[in-house]
Amino acid sequence: MILTVTLNTALDITYRVGALRPHTSHRVTEVTERPGGKGVNVARVLALLGHRVAVTGFTGGATGRAVQDRLAHTPGVVDALVPVAGSTRRTIAVVDTTTGDTTQLNEPGPAITPAEWSAFQGAYEDLLRSASAVALCGSLPPGVPVGAYAGLIRTARTLGVPVLLDTSGEPLRRGVAARPDIVKPNADELAELTGSHDPLEATRNARRRGAHTVVASLGADGLLAVNAQGRWRATPPRHIRGNPTGAGDSAVAGLLSGLVEHLPWPARLARAVALSAATVLAPAAGEFDRATYEELLSRVAVTGDATAA
C-alpha cells in the first residue's frame, strides 16, 4: 500500500466559463466537484495506475463529509482521514475555456488543535507500518507546526519507509533538512529555497541541504532530476494547453509509482511527465485519459547522464 498525506484536504470545485472578465457576471457552463488537496489528487492517479492507496490528513464539517462521500466511490483509494472539529476547506478553479487559463481561489483550511495534531501523528505512524512509500503533500492548515513535515519524514525514515515531499516555503526548507528520499519543488519553490534561479545549480544546492533526490518541475519544459547516481531531463513531446490544476500531483504519482515498482530514473521521469501532460488535458485534477497518457509516454524525451550529478 502507498500512503499519501494531505494535511490540508479540500473539496475541489471547478467552474468553466466562456471567458473570464473582472467586474462582470459569468454564466458557468460546467461544474465539477472532486475530493482534493495535493495528496488526494496523487492518490487518485496512483489508483488509476493500479496501486492500492490510503489517504490520510484531516477532515471536518459538511465539506469534509462531502470529501469522504466522494472518496468512498473512488476505486482503489482507502479513506484514512482523521476527524477534526473545524471544517475542511474548498478550492475554486475558474477555467476560461477561450484561453485555457485557470484562476485559482484557495481557502486556508481549518485550525488544528494540539490534541488533533497529536491524534494525527499516532494514526500516521500506524499507517506507515503497512506502507511501501509515503508522499507528504501540500500546504499546512493553521495550527500545524511549521516543522510538521520534518517530523513526519523522520518518523517514516525510522520505520524504513521511503518519503517523497512536495510542499513549499518554510515547511519545504525544514523538510529537506530531514533528508527525504525525493523532493519535488517547482522552479519558483526551488529558487525560494536555494536563492538560485538556475535549475541545475538549484537542484544541486537542495541536495546539499539534505534531499537524496531533487526533481524540479519546470512547467511546460518538463522535469529535471538530480541525485547521487546522475542527472536527467524529461520533456513532453509538445506544448500542452489546458487546465494545469493537479498536473504536478500527477507527476508526483508517476515518481512514487516508479519508486515502488523499482523503475530506473529515466522511466520514472517519462511516466511523471506523461501523466502531468495528460492531466492538463483532463477536465479535473487527479484524472487522465489512459490513451492520451500512453501516446504521450511513447514520445517523452529523456536525456541525461547516469554518472554525473
Side-chain angles (χ1 to χ4, degrees):
M1 178 194 73
I2 299 174
L3 177 64
T4 70
V5 174
T6 312
L7 296 177
N8 216 359
T9 53
L11 181 65
D12 285 346
I13 303 168
T14 301
Y15 294 140
R16 293 181 177 272
V17 300
L20 182 61
R21 299 186 181 91
H23 316 299
T24 64
S25 296
H26 295 79
R27 185 175 297 279
V28 176
T29 60
E30 182 183 352
V31 181
T32 58
E33 292 187 358
R34 298 286 189 278
K38 294 178 72 64
V40 176
N41 294 336
V42 171
R44 194 157 46 238
V45 174
L46 285 168
L48 290 170
L49 291 171
H51 291 275
R52 186 168 178 268
V53 195
V55 169
T56 193
F58 297 112
T59 182
T63 307
R65 289 192 294 274
V67 167
Q68 291 185 286
D69 287 346
R70 287 161 174 78
L71 280 178
H73 295 91
T74 306
V77 176
V78 175
D79 175 3
L81 294 169
V82 176
V84 296
S87 183
T88 297
R89 66 186 179 132
R90 296 163 296 177
T91 68
I92 311 295
V94 183
V95 180
D96 183 322
T97 58
T98 301
T99 65
D101 292 336
T102 301
T103 300
Q104 192 81 18
L105 304 173
N106 298 326
E107 295 179 357
I112 306 301
T113 68
E116 289 167 343
W117 175 236
S118 180
F120 171 80
Q121 289 175 287
Y124 170 74
E125 186 169 345
D126 289 342
L127 288 164
L128 281 176
R129 298 185 189 283
S130 58
S132 55
V134 58
L136 307 175
C137 303
S139 61
L140 303 178
V144 172
V146 70
Y149 283 137
L152 298 180
I153 290 166
R154 286 191 289 267
T155 301
R157 289 178 59 80
T158 297
L159 295 173
V161 180
V163 186
L164 186 153
L165 176 65
D166 183 16
T167 188
S168 60
E170 186 66 11
L172 174 61
R173 188 183 71 81
R174 297 197 187 192
V176 165
R179 302 185 62 79
D181 295 270
I182 304 171
V183 293
K184 194 212 70 65
N186 62 33
D188 290 340
E189 293 162 350
L190 193 57
E192 182 183 1
L193 173 68
T194 66
S196 174
H197 291 273
D198 175 74
L200 182 57
E201 176 55 34
T203 52
R204 287 170 169 165
N205 183 303
R207 283 201 66 240
R208 289 193 293 269
R209 292 167 182 261
H212 291 275
T213 297
V214 180
V215 181
S217 176
L218 307 178
D221 294 326
L223 298 173
L224 170 67
V226 178
N227 60 26
Q229 289 74 49
R231 65 173 183 260
W232 300 268
R233 177 78 175 268
T235 55
R238 63 179 187 270
H239 180 69
I240 307 294
R241 292 187 62 85
N243 179 7
T245 306
D249 305 331
S250 291
V252 168
L255 296 171
L256 206 59
S257 63
L259 184 155
V260 300
E261 294 173 30
H262 306 289
L263 297 181
W265 270 104
R268 297 187 201 186
L269 294 173
R271 177 182 290 182
V273 166
L275 284 170
S276 180
T279 298
V280 172
L281 296 171
E287 297 183 356
F288 66 93
D289 175 75
R290 182 165 291 276
T292 300
Y293 158 65
E294 291 175 352
E295 184 271 330
L296 291 164
L297 180 62
S298 69
R299 298 196 294 122
V300 171
V302 182
T303 58
D305 188 335
T307 61

